[in-house]
Amino acid sequence: IKSNPDVKLVVIGTGKKSYIQKSMKVLDNNALKNVKFVDKIDNKLLKYIYPEAKIFILPSKFEIFGMVILESMFFGTPVITSINGGSTTLIRNKKNGIVMDKFDSDIWAKEINSILNNEEYRKELSKNARANIINNFTWEKISEKLLNELNKQ
């Protein structure tokens, strides 16, 4: 938001209130006008939310698998995330998303802006993300792989 004042940040989900308040203190009042907090979204509405987002950001150390990463990629929303259970399984770095190995806000901002400022790159990440999920991680594809493995035994 500091380097690109037109950016809108939508934070979905509940978190530790003290952490959120501390994080928002680094933003000035103009930047805070571009931040919207939503506690919870009904799963039925996700198909309308993800396609509207330019980027999905998940800076989490404790994500078990990353269902939200999978959902975002399914809807073609480019992902920037930290190293966690799902990110290294679902993302080929800089091909169908971005996996960050450090929690440095300047480095994250640079990656976010690289996507926002390069429509061709954003579309490529989007296309590759969706293809990866469709080709490898739908229930149909996962069950096919499982059945093939069971038949080999």
Side-chain angles (χ1 to χ4, degrees):
I1 291 173
K2 286 181 179 180
S3 61
N4 190 340
D6 295 328
V7 167
K8 307 285 189 249
L9 175 64
V10 179
V11 180
I12 299 175
T14 56
K16 193 172 182 182
K17 298 290 183 194
S18 61
Y19 175 77
I20 293 169
Q21 290 168 349
K22 178 183 168 187
S23 299
M24 292 301 105
K25 285 182 182 178
V26 300
L27 299 175
D28 62 31
N29 286 335
N30 284 336
L32 282 172
K33 291 176 187 173
N34 290 343
V35 180
K36 173 76 174 157
F37 291 94
V38 179
D39 283 342
K40 186 172 170 113
I41 297 286
D42 190 313
N43 282 345
K44 295 181 286 189
L45 300 176
L46 293 176
K47 64 183 175 186
Y48 303 110
I49 305 281
Y50 283 115
E52 292 299 317
K54 297 284 185 190
I55 303 172
F56 175 81
I57 304 167
L58 183 67
S60 173
K61 293 181 182 180
F62 304 109
E63 194 67 31
I64 295 171
F65 172 72
M67 188 58 85
V68 291
I69 295 171
L70 190 146
E71 291 169 348
S72 179
M73 292 174 75
F74 175 82
F75 287 106
T77 307
V79 172
I80 300 177
T81 187
S82 53
I83 295 174
N84 56 59
S87 66
T88 55
T89 301
L90 298 169
I91 296 175
R92 287 185 6 246
N93 203 25
K94 305 223 180 200
K95 301 290 184 208
N96 63 359
I98 298 173
V99 178
M100 305 292 285
D101 61 356
K102 295 180 182 172
F103 286 96
D104 180 316
S105 60
D106 291 331
I107 296 172
W108 281 69
K110 180 181 174 192
E111 291 296 340
I112 291 166
N113 282 321
S114 75
I115 293 173
L116 292 177
N117 297 328
N118 185 337
E119 187 65 16
E120 187 175 311
Y121 180 46
R122 191 182 73 74
K123 285 181 179 179
E124 185 73 14
L125 289 174
S126 173
K127 179 185 77 157
N128 292 341
R130 181 158 170 75
N132 182 43
I133 301 307
I134 297 295
N135 294 330
N136 299 299
F137 294 99
T138 61
W139 286 117
E140 181 181 348
K141 294 294 181 179
I142 291 171
S143 62
E144 275 178 29
K145 288 177 189 177
L146 179 62
L147 290 173
N148 287 338
E149 288 300 314
L150 289 173
N151 287 333
K152 288 179 186 177
Q153 297 174 4

